Amino acid sequence: MNPFSPVRAPGGRPLLACALVGVALAVTSIGMELTDAEPHLVMWVGVGAGALFLAALPLARGVGDDALTLRAGLLIGAGAGAVLAVIGLWRATGRDQPVVLLLLVPSLLLLITAALAVREARLAAHARRMKQLRARLQGQEDERRRWAQELHDQTLQDLAALELWLASLSRTHDPDRLAAGVEDARGMVHEQIGVLRHLITQMRPLALDTLGLRAAVQDLAHRAEGEVTVACDVERLPAGLPPDTQVAIYRIVQEALSNAVQHAHCHRIAVRATNDGSQLVVTVRDDGRGLPDPASGDAPSTSFGRIGMRERAESLGAHLTWSTPEGGGTMVTLRVPEAARPHS
């Protein structure tokens, strides 16, 4: 079996089997009703269809829009099975107006409720998409503002200073002072080249486009080394991941490394990727001071950087957690499901 095969439904194959058999029984019950088949048989086939749809409900896991719509659809199927069962029972009684018709009322209410649930799920999904779009646009504006501030405060100011320095050199007639000044100017230009390269890498890592996610994460770990030691074991990162998945994993690791280096007061950081056959697990662990106190205002739920990390994970349908492992420190764990990984 190919471990990268796509998941057909949030509950996998058991859910798919229950739903398909339920649909088959419901269609069979309708056909039997149209052909005046034995009423008790029609009733039990309808009961079986409704029971299968209800049995599939606990298997429809997840909180996404697709999962909510699927559960509402299963409720509609269960209601349809109940209606078919009641019709079969009605015919089996042999009465013109049996009391059993009262059972149609809750069955129809179930159908109406499920239909309304589908509508509400779609409206909620639309509202979430609009909110995410607004947040994304705001994030882009904030990012542009940050780059503009960075360029203005550092690069532009340094280039202006370089211009003044070159202007002063143009008026000198001392060969030694001119040579020293040119050397200083070269150093300033070299420094600005490094700053611009860093900014470009922050905006879009070249290694991610040219060498792939594995090399890009290894480059992140290498650049984070200095006052801390970074161990990087990401050989299990699969090749051929979708571009959005690569970017999300890269940015999450980047932010986790940045938080560890700047705020954790740690000495060692370990970046690791594993694959347990059902999901890709990427961890960033440090030996620092551990998770911040929620009362400090720097908890994972309130930090802007961590909010961005969580939003990137949610965009993949992945699960992101912060924990304090045995031995102290902080571990950031990203669990990427099969659906976001490469398909054969």
Side-chain angles (χ1 to χ4, degrees), residues 86-145:
V86 169
I87 292 174
L89 183 60
W90 176 16
R91 288 183 54 214
T93 60
R95 300 179 184 177
D96 292 335
Q97 294 180 336
V99 177
V100 77
L101 274 178
L102 294 176
L103 294 175
L104 281 174
V105 176
S107 300
L108 291 174
L109 286 176
L110 178 62
L111 278 173
I112 295 171
T113 301
L116 290 175
V118 171
R119 179 177 177 273
E120 289 302 315
R122 289 176 176 172
L123 290 175
H126 177 71
R128 276 193 297 274
R129 284 193 295 269
M130 294 301 295
K131 183 178 179 180
Q132 291 170 355
L133 177 60
R134 287 193 294 269
R136 190 177 301 113
L137 292 174
Q138 183 61 45
Q140 291 173 353
E141 288 301 316
D142 292 342
E143 192 78 357
R144 293 189 184 100
R145 190 178 298 111

Side-chain angles (χ1 to χ4, degrees), residues 144-217:
R144 293 189 184 100
R145 190 178 298 111
R146 184 166 75 90
W147 296 129
Q149 190 71 32
E150 186 85 14
L151 289 169
H152 178 271
D153 291 348
Q154 185 170 356
T155 305
L156 187 60
Q157 298 296 330
D158 289 344
L159 289 176
L162 176 60
E163 181 185 21
L164 292 175
W165 178 248
L166 291 174
S168 68
L169 286 179
S170 67
R171 293 190 294 270
T172 185
H173 299 290
D174 184 349
D176 293 335
R177 182 171 180 265
L178 182 61
V182 169
E183 191 62 29
D184 289 342
R186 286 184 60 194
M188 296 173 67
V189 171
H190 179 74
E191 181 181 349
Q192 289 310 305
I193 289 174
V195 170
L196 289 174
R197 280 177 175 167
H198 175 71
L199 289 175
I200 291 170
T201 300
Q202 292 291 314
M203 295 175 69
R204 179 66 188 181
L206 182 62
L208 190 59
D209 292 325
T210 58
L211 302 177
L213 178 62
R214 190 180 306 161
V217 171

Side-chain angles (χ1 to χ4, degrees), residues 249-290:
I249 293 175
Y250 179 89
R251 293 302 188 191
I252 289 171
V253 172
Q254 183 182 42
E255 184 68 24
L257 279 171
S258 176
N259 287 341
V261 171
Q262 296 179 24
H263 307 298
H265 302 288
C266 60
H267 300 287
R268 292 183 299 275
I269 304 173
V271 182
R272 188 182 181 195
T274 59
N275 193 327
D276 64 4
S278 62
Q279 58 185 353
L280 172 66
V281 183
V282 181
T283 60
V284 179
R285 178 179 178 178
D286 64 65
D287 63 350
R289 62 182 182 179

Side-chain angles (χ1 to χ4, degrees), residues 288-294 298-300 306 322-324 329-332:
R289 62 182 182 179
L291 291 171
D293 184 350
D298 190 33
R306 288 171 176 170
W322 289 262
S323 62
T324 301
T330 301
M331 177 180 285
V332 179

Side-chain angles (χ1 to χ4, degrees), residues 41-79:
L41 187 57
V42 174
M43 179 188 70
W44 286 114
V45 172
V47 168
L52 280 170
F53 284 122
L54 290 176
L57 273 174
L59 301 175
R61 298 181 294 271
V63 295
D65 301 333
D66 292 341
L68 291 174
T69 303
L70 177 60
R71 284 195 288 270
L74 291 172
L75 282 174
I76 291 177

